[in-house]
Amino acid sequence: GRTDLYGDAILSDFLKTATAGDDWRETLDSYDIRLVVVEAQSGLAGALAAEPGWTLAYEDDLAVIYTRGSA
């Protein structure tokens, strides 16, 4: 991978958010994330499924797409 291009802080935010770890909501808010494409079995997929304001837009065996707010 080319994660060295983004720096440790962004990579750390990504990893915590993808697993629905500490402060995942705050990270999505701080970057104004409105669309998420993530592995279907990830922690974030499960968290967004139960999170008000997020809508499942697509799903298959490998990935899900969630959108925030009105489209």
Side-chain angles (χ1 to χ4, degrees):
R2 300 293 306 191
T3 57
D4 57 313
L5 295 174
Y6 301 105
D8 292 341
I10 291 176
L11 181 57
S12 177
D13 284 347
F14 168 78
L15 293 173
K16 287 189 296 186
T17 303
T19 60
D22 294 340
D23 301 326
W24 69 269
R25 289 178 188 89
E26 289 80 4
T27 301
L28 294 179
D29 289 345
S30 71
Y31 288 101
D32 195 27
I33 303 296
R34 307 198 59 72
L35 180 115
V36 172
V37 180
V38 69
E39 293 177 9
Q41 301 305 314
S42 70
L44 184 57
L48 289 174
E51 188 70 10
W54 287 90
T55 303
L56 179 64
Y58 173 84
E59 71 177 317
D60 64 25
D61 293 340
L62 299 176
V64 292
I65 299 174
Y66 280 92
T67 59
R68 185 190 328 209
S70 57

